[in-house]
């Protein structure tokens, strides 16, 4: 479970101070499917980055499964990212020199998993994303939708409990978008907590919970049943 | 992360930036191969000089007037108060049982002429024994006659260069030349002594009986006495005998210096050994330059691969691991560069050895190790700054490419 208590984040640009998050209080439960929406600059990405321990709050507390993350060392935060979180980005962030399989394998590789186990898990992950026949393709040889599905396979290969996606369909056409969203939702059905930032209302409407941000604050927080 | 995966990742990263990788490999391999080539030439020179000394005669001692001020590896500095060595001293030395032959030597230069042609030449006064002591061979005629060294004769043996310069293709045997106005009959011409001329170049010299030379230069003192010990084991006995005899003859004063061939050899060996180290060190500077290049290129690499580093951070790679990845990349580069450099270096030395068959060129055993070690060391040290910069990047900013 994720709990924000009065989380604030500000940036200094020259003399100016930008309050990207203003004392956010929020909880996200295990297995939830939440869409974060709101205008550009409202603090969506900032919130997601703090959620995924890529960034730190300037004040307030962030409890992850009852552990206070605000005081953790950078190494401990890296370890939590490795085990608990999967990230999916708008621009995919695949390593261009590596094949699809190698990209998916990278987290296992860094974690020292044995080559045999890696091969099995990568094969299964690509398979579940419908990319079994693309394993040896470089990112440049894949379509946008395929690239994003490779990125999702990579984000989930360590079996994280939370999947964070920042505009995962922002660079995709509607058909690919649908495939990618379906892939994410399938993972959510299997139990993973899914948090998606999106500008697309049709995608936002699919989520059980819709968090709308405005000016660094949560403007609306609607949970459907 | 497993070591093999670390290597694969680094190799992949190197392969992903071909131009950069080739450039750095080039710099590294130039550094490594120049270390090999220069030290090989240095070692070759050392061996060459060693061989020259071997040619000089193996049981040789040289007696010089004056006492060495210092002992050890320094070049000989002779005291100002020189006492002469005379022919009688040389004769006395030759009576020692540990000494086989003695060749007293007088050295001077004088104009030599034949048929209007004149040259200034080195004139060496010595005895018949010089022939064996210096292991000479005759091109024609014979060497100086044996007999009482205190009696002179107007005869001369000339080196092959001098013969060619004075006589050209004309036969020189039996001709009379003038040395400093006095007439000398040529009784022999030396064969090209080759490079065996450490000490004195006989190719351009006229050798005359020692007593005659003393008259010519109007001086009773000897330049030095070359002594051949009675076998290798007799060298130190001979050295002691010479010093004892000379002290007895010079009122208990130890006023000569005896240089054994081993001592000379050791001195040269020392000098040339340090020379090899010095040129090797200079070449190693090029490796340091390559290190600076690697640092620059890795800084660029870190900048270019910011999003990749951001991604690594996002998937939970700790800073320590990112540091490792970049250092491994530099090490791979260094090892590959060293390998290429070693191949080029060995090939170059092989080529030189083929081109100069008389020159005993050879890579000293420590040079490849030192070169490879230096290249690895500089790469890792110089890559530390860029690697640490990568490890410390802020993940969000890195992902955004800032
Ligand atoms: N590294 C930074 N330095 C300075 N200001 C920043 C930084 N990151 C974010 N901001 C500012 O913080 C505010 C929130 O940014 P954030 O990226 O969270 O917005 P967003 O809701 O994700 O917008 P978008 O929909 O355009 O992605 C913005 O005003 C932005 O300019
Ligand atoms: Mg954003």
């Amino acid at each position: 479970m994720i709990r924000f208590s009065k989380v604030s984040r500000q940036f200094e640009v020259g003399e100016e101070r930008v309050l990207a998050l203003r004392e956010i209080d929020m909880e996200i439960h295990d297995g939830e499917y939440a869409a974060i929406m709101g205008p550009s600059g409202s603090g969506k990405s900032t919130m997601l980055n703090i959620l995924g321990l890529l960034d730190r709050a300037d004040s307030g507390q962030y409890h992850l499964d009852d552990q206070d993350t605000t005081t953790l060392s950078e190494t401990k935060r890296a370890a939590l990212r490795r085990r608990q979180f999967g990230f999916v980005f708008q621009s995919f962030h695949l390593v261009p020199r590596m094949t699809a399989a190698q990209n998916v394998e990278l987290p296992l590789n860094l974690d020292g998993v044995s080559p045999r186990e890696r091969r099995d898990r990568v094969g299964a992950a690509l398979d579940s994303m419908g990319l079994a026949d693309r394993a040896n393709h470089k990112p440049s040889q894949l379509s946008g939708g395929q690239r994003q599905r490779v990125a999702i396979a990579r984000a989930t290969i360590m079996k994280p409990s939370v999947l964070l996606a920042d505009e995962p369909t922002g660079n995709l056409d509607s058909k690919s978008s649908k495939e990618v969203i379906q892939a994410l939702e399938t993972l959510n059905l299997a139990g993973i907590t899914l948090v998606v930032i999106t500008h697309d209302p049709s995608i936002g409407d699919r989520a059980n919970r819709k968090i709308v941000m405005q000016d660094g604050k949560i403007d609306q927080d609607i949970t459907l049943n | 992360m497993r070591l093999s995966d670390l290597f694969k990742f680094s190799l992949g990263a190197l392969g992903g930036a071909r131009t950069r990788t080739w450039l750095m490999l080039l710099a590294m391999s130039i550094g490594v191969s120049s270390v090999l080539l220069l030290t090989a030439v240095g070692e070759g020179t050392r061996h060459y000089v060693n061989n020259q000394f071997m040619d000089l005669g193996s049981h040789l001692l040289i007696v010089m007037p004056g006492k060495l001020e210092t002992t050890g590896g320094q070049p000989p500095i002779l005291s100002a108060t020189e006492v002469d060595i005379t022919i009688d001293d040389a004769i006395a030395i030759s009576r020692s049982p540990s000494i086989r032959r003695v060749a007293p030597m007088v050295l001077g230069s004088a104009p030599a002429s034949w048929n209007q042609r004149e040259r200034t030449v080195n004139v060496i006064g010595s005895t018949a024994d010089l022939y064996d002591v210096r292991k000479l061979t005759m091109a024609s005629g014979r060497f100086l006659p044996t007999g009482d060294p205190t009696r002179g004769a107007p005869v001369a043996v000339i080196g092959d260069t001098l013969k060619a310069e004075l006589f050209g293709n004309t036969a020189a045997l039996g001709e009379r030349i003038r040395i400093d106005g006095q007439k000398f009959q040529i009784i022999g011409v030396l064969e090209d002594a080759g490079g065996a001329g450490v000490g004195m170049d006989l190719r351009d010299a006229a050798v005359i009986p020692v007593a005659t030379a003393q008259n010519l230069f109007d001086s009773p003192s000897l330049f030095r006495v070359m002594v051949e010990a009675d076998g290798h084991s007799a060298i130190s006995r001979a050295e002691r005998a010479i010093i004892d005899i000379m002290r007895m003859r010079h009122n208990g004063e130890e006023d000569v210096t005896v240089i054994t061939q081993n001592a000379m050899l050791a001195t040269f060996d020392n000098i040339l050994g340090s020379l090899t180290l010095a040129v090797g060190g200079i070449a190693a500077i090029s490796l340091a330059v390559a290190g600076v290049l690697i640092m620059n290129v890795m800084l660029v690499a870190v900048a270019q691969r910011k999003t990749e580093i951001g991604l690594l951070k996002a998937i939970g790679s700790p800073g320590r691991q990112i540091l490792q990845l970049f250092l491994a990349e530099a090490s791979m580069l260094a090892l590959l560069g060293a390998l290429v450099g070693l191949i080029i270096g060995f090939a170059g030395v092989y080529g030189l050895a083929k081109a100069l068959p008389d020159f005993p060129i050879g890579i000293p055993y420590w040079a490849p190790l030192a070169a490879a070690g230096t290249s690895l060391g500089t790469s890792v040290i110089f890559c530390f700054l860029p690697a640490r910069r990568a490890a410390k990047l802020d993940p969000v900013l890195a992902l955004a490419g800032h």
Side-chain angles (χ1 to χ4, degrees):
Chain A
M1 195 182 76
I2 287 162
R3 194 169 72 239
F4 273 24
S5 338
K6 294 201 181 329
V7 166
S8 294
R9 180 76 168 105
Q10 61 183 32
F11 296 102
E12 264 154 63
V13 186
E15 293 287 280
E16 241 177 293
R17 242 183 225 177
V18 181
L19 274 167
L21 292 182
R22 303 164 189 252
E23 303 198 327
I24 301 268
D25 290 308
M26 178 196 61
E27 283 185 2
I28 296 175
H29 298 277
D30 291 347
E32 253 190 303
Y33 174 12
I36 302 180
M37 304 192 66
S40 185
S42 56
K44 306 183 294 293
S45 296
T46 307
M47 183 151 92
L48 201 76
N49 289 336
I50 291 177
L51 255 174
L53 298 175
L54 283 175
D55 197 5
R56 282 175 189 267
D58 292 317
S59 63
Q61 256 112 45
Y62 169 17
H63 288 268
L64 177 66
D65 298 333
D66 294 325
Q67 182 182 20
D68 185 2
T69 64
T70 13
T71 53
L72 290 178
S73 71
E74 193 45 49
T75 314
K76 291 237 172 72
R77 291 158 62 85
L80 277 176
R81 287 201 293 272
R82 186 160 66 234
R83 304 248 164 257
Q84 302 269 41
F85 294 103
F87 292 91
V88 177
F89 306 96
Q90 179 176 356
S91 52
F92 321 126
H93 283 314
L94 298 179
V95 182
R97 61 173 182 275
M98 295 182 180
T99 63
Q102 286 169 335
N103 266 290
V104 175
E105 193 185 16
L106 192 54
L108 299 172
N109 219 328
L110 296 172
D111 201 38
V113 176
S114 77
R116 158 180 274 193
E117 190 187 335
R118 278 186 339 228
R119 196 163 356 103
D120 293 348
R121 280 167 70 175
V122 169
L126 284 173
D127 216 17
S128 73
M129 289 292 141
L131 291 167
D133 54 340
R134 294 283 185 270
N136 294 319
H137 286 52
K138 293 269 175 73
S140 58
Q141 298 164 321
L142 298 173
S143 73
Q146 288 170 333
R147 287 184 211 182
Q148 196 60 298
R149 280 181 285 147
V150 172
I152 295 170
R154 179 181 63 195
T156 50
I157 196 78
M158 294 294 289
K159 305 194 175 79
S161 49
V162 183
L163 191 53
L164 304 171
D166 193 341
E167 298 188 45
T169 61
N171 281 349
L172 302 178
D173 58 37
S174 58
K175 181 170 167 283
S176 302
S177 293
K178 203 166 163 214
E179 283 169 8
V180 163
I181 285 297
Q182 277 169 351
L184 292 172
E185 286 172 356
T186 310
L187 289 160
N188 173 247
L189 285 178
I192 202 166
T193 310
L194 177 61
V195 183
V196 183
I197 295 180
T198 182
H199 281 292
D200 184 343
S202 69
I203 291 173
D205 288 342
R206 296 168 69 113
N208 307 88
R209 180 174 173 191
K210 196 151 74 172
I211 301 171
V212 181
M213 296 198 62
Q214 178 80 50
D215 252 346
K217 281 187 172 302
I218 293 176
D219 194 41
Q220 296 172 52
D221 189 344
I222 308 157
T223 308
L224 311 170
N225 285 313
Chain B
M1 193 170 187
R2 288 156 186 258
L3 204 60
S4 58
D5 292 326
L6 187 66
F7 283 144
K8 267 185 224 156
F9 184 93
S10 308
L11 272 183
L14 289 175
R18 294 271 158 73
T19 324
R20 192 168 72 208
T21 303
W22 279 121
L23 258 177
M24 293 205 276
L25 280 181
L26 187 71
M28 270 294 155
S29 52
I30 287 175
V32 168
S33 56
S34 52
V35 168
L36 290 199
L37 278 167
L38 288 178
T39 52
V41 170
E43 277 294 282
T45 312
R46 200 165 68 85
H47 283 133
Y48 182 75
V49 170
N50 272 351
N51 294 347
Q52 294 295 303
F53 270 102
M54 290 306 162
D55 285 353
L56 200 61
S58 39
H59 324 310
L60 205 63
L61 297 96
I62 295 173
V63 188
M64 301 194 297
K67 184 67 197 147
L68 267 188
E69 290 286 296
T70 54
T71 50
Q74 301 299 316
I77 301 163
L78 297 172
S79 62
T81 55
E82 284 187 17
V83 176
D84 295 340
I85 305 175
T86 61
I87 291 190
D88 290 335
D89 291 331
I91 294 169
I93 289 170
S94 69
R95 297 211 181 96
S96 161
S98 38
I99 286 166
R100 191 180 293 161
R101 291 189 189 89
V102 170
M105 292 182 86
V106 168
L107 183 72
S109 72
S113 61
W114 181 77
N115 263 5
Q116 322 300 68
R117 272 189 233 182
E118 186 173 292
R119 299 245 309 118
T120 300
V121 298
N122 287 327
V123 178
I124 296 164
S126 193
T127 61
D129 277 341
L130 184 68
Y131 188 73
D132 291 311
V133 169
R134 283 292 303 266
K135 306 210 170 343
L136 302 172
T137 44
M138 303 304 298
S140 60
R142 56 199 169 77
F143 200 66
L144 296 178
T146 49
D148 185 354
T150 59
R151 306 271 294 274
V155 293
V157 175
I158 59 175
D160 64 316
T161 310
L162 179 58
K163 188 262 165 195
E165 284 181 349
L166 280 186
F167 294 93
N169 289 329
T170 329
L173 273 191
E175 294 294 330
R176 279 167 205 281
I177 59 171
R178 279 180 185 277
I179 299 176
D180 211 15
Q182 297 187 28
K183 283 194 169 169
F184 287 83
Q185 185 180 22
I186 294 187
I187 56 171
V189 177
L190 291 170
E191 195 155 83
D192 182 0
V198 178
M200 237 166 288
D201 193 354
L202 288 177
R203 287 176 291 192
D204 196 22
V207 186
I208 60 177
V210 62
T212 316
Q214 283 177 323
N215 278 333
L216 194 70
F217 298 124
D218 198 19
S219 155
S221 63
L222 297 177
F223 171 62
R224 54 194 52 177
V225 182
M226 299 194 97
V227 177
E228 190 182 326
D230 192 23
H232 190 76
S233 57
I235 290 176
S236 51
R237 262 183 291 134
E239 185 179 0
R240 242 174 293 124
I242 292 166
I243 289 170
D244 289 346
I245 291 166
M246 292 306 289
R247 185 185 286 149
M248 247 168 52
R249 296 181 56 83
H250 288 186
N251 309 321
E253 194 98 29
E254 194 182 324
D255 54 10
V256 294
T257 300
V258 181
I259 300 175
T260 62
Q261 202 180 347
N262 284 347
M264 287 189 283
L265 200 58
T267 307
F268 268 93
D269 212 52
N270 264 340
I271 294 171
L272 293 171
S274 0
L275 197 72
T276 303
L277 275 180
V279 285
I282 290 167
I285 290 174
S286 65
L287 281 174
V289 173
V292 175
L293 182 72
I294 283 197
M295 177 165 71
N296 262 302
V297 170
M298 289 308 271
L299 280 172
V300 173
V302 168
Q304 282 178 345
R305 274 158 60 195
K306 267 202 181 141
T307 55
E308 181 186 323
I309 296 162
L311 173 84
L312 289 173
K313 296 207 154 203
I315 60 180
S317 180
R320 189 172 28 81
Q321 192 172 50
I322 290 168
L323 188 82
Q324 248 175 34
L325 287 172
F326 277 87
L327 288 183
E329 206 172 310
S331 315
M332 302 287 293
L333 204 61
L335 288 176
L336 281 175
L339 192 72
V340 175
L342 289 179
I343 292 170
I344 295 174
F346 275 99
V349 169
Y350 179 80
L352 272 180
K354 285 269 148 183
L356 307 167
D358 290 338
F359 190 63
I361 195 168
I363 295 169
Y365 70 93
W366 50 265
L369 295 175
T374 313
S375 93
L376 189 64
T378 47
S379 304
V380 170
I381 289 168
F382 280 101
C383 186
F384 206 81
L385 182 82
R388 215 182 45 172
R389 183 171 289 186
K392 289 207 161 148
L393 283 179
D394 175 78
V396 175
L397 292 180
L399 276 167
H402 294 311

